[in-house]
Amino acid sequence: ADEVCTSPFDESLDVTLKRCIAFCYGVTVDWAPFVRVTVFADNANEHQLNVPVYHSLLVCFGEPDYLREQVKCKAVPGTDVQDGLVKPSAFWTRKIPGKSIPFRALAHALLGFFVELEDADPRKQLLVNILLQMHEACYNCVGRHKEVFEYCVYDLLDAEQRPDGRRLPSDRQQAMALVRQHAEIFLDKHKRNALHAAYLSPLKYLFQDIYEIFENLDSR
C-alpha cells in the first residue's frame, strides 16, 4: 500500500486492463473491451453466459468513469448480481486504512506488475489465472473478492522471489521458499479450521434450508 501511494502505476486502470485482457485472451489491445466469455460457477444454474470482461471488471472495481455503465447478467440470489447487474464491490471501493486511495489501486498495481513482464517470462502466465478469478468474482460476493485478492498476493510474492523468471533459483532460495510455503499451508489450515468451527459450521446448520445463504457459506 505504501508503494502504491508513493509510486502509483503510471497509466490508468482501464489501459492496464486492456493490456491484461489482450495478453490473456490473445487479442489486440483495441479489441480487448469487446472480449466476452462464459463464467462458470459451482452451480450450473449460476453460470454467466457471454459476459464482458473489461466492463465487468471496471464497474466492479468502482472505477469512477465507468460507474454509469450497465453490465447486464444473469440474476443470482444471494450474490452481488442478484438484481441482474454487475455492481461496484464494497471490497474494491473502500479506502485502504490510513490511506486516501481505494483498494482497487492495489489491484491495479498487481495487474501492472504482471502485464509489464516480458511475454516470454514464465511468471506472466500467472496473469491469466489472476484475471480469470477477478472476473469470476464480479458475479459472486464480497467474500469471493477477498479470497481472490489473497491468492493474487501469494502469486505476486512468489513472482517477486524470482527476479528472472527464466532462471532457476538457487538451492538456498528453493529451501527458503519451501519452508515459507509449508508455514503458510500450516497457518492457513488452522485459520480455516478455527473459522469453520467458530462461525461457518454453526451458520450452515442454521441456514441449511435457505439455499441462497447456505450456498454462499458452503463456498467459503
Side-chain angles (χ1 to χ4, degrees):
D2 290 333
E3 284 185 31
V4 172
C5 288
T6 56
S7 304
F9 204 58
D10 60 358
E11 67 181 9
S12 61
L13 176 56
D14 58 327
V15 173
T16 301
L17 194 55
K18 285 179 185 178
R19 295 170 60 203
C20 291
I21 294 171
F23 172 78
C24 294
Y25 293 96
V27 298
T28 64
V29 172
D30 290 338
W31 187 254
F34 307 104
V35 171
R36 287 177 170 266
V37 298
T38 294
V39 173
F40 293 96
D42 293 336
N43 186 336
N45 293 327
E46 298 177 4
H47 292 344
Q48 297 287 350
L49 306 179
N50 195 36
V51 287
V53 179
Y54 178 75
H55 290 94
S56 294
L57 282 165
L58 287 173
V59 170
C60 192
F61 283 146
E63 187 68 359
D65 291 341
Y66 292 83
L67 292 180
R68 294 190 178 185
E69 292 277 346
Q70 280 205 334
V71 180
K72 296 181 180 180
C73 62
K74 183 176 184 178
V76 179
T79 70
D80 291 345
V81 295
Q82 59 186 349
D83 298 326
L85 291 171
V86 175
K87 303 286 183 63
S89 171
F91 180 81
W92 296 117
T93 55
R94 62 186 174 138
K95 299 291 185 184
I96 298 172
K99 309 292 181 183
S100 60
I101 58 175
F103 259 77
R104 66 172 172 272
L106 300 182
H108 188 188
L110 187 143
L111 292 172
F113 170 86
F114 284 101
V115 81
E116 283 291 305
L117 297 174
E118 295 180 10
D119 288 356
D121 191 326
R123 295 174 298 173
K124 195 167 185 175
Q125 292 302 318
L126 292 169
L127 180 60
V128 177
N129 188 53
I130 288 172
L131 195 70
L132 185 150
Q133 292 203 58
M134 283 185 170
H135 185 221
E136 177 269 330
C138 294
Y139 306 95
N140 208 298
C141 57
V142 67
R144 179 59 180 155
H145 289 291
K146 179 178 182 295
E147 185 179 40
V148 168
F149 184 64
E150 288 176 353
Y151 289 143
C152 292
V153 170
Y154 283 136
D155 284 342
L156 178 62
L157 291 173
D158 288 338
E160 288 183 330
Q161 283 191 338
R162 295 179 62 176
D164 185 345
R166 290 162 291 185
R167 185 174 63 239
L168 289 175
S170 65
D171 290 344
R172 180 173 179 274
Q173 288 174 319
Q174 291 185 63
M176 290 174 63
L178 186 62
V179 170
R180 186 173 66 85
Q181 179 185 9
H182 281 280
E184 289 169 353
I185 293 173
F186 177 81
L187 291 174
D188 285 346
K189 177 181 177 182
H190 284 275
K191 286 190 292 184
R192 184 168 57 250
N193 289 343
L195 178 63
H196 274 269
Y199 297 101
L200 294 183
S201 292
L203 286 171
K204 285 164 68 175
Y205 177 78
L206 289 173
F207 294 104
Q208 58 185 307
D209 297 324
I210 305 177
Y211 168 76
E212 294 85 356
I213 299 177
F214 182 85
E215 177 70 14
N216 274 290
L217 290 170
D218 197 42
S219 66
R220 300 281 68 83

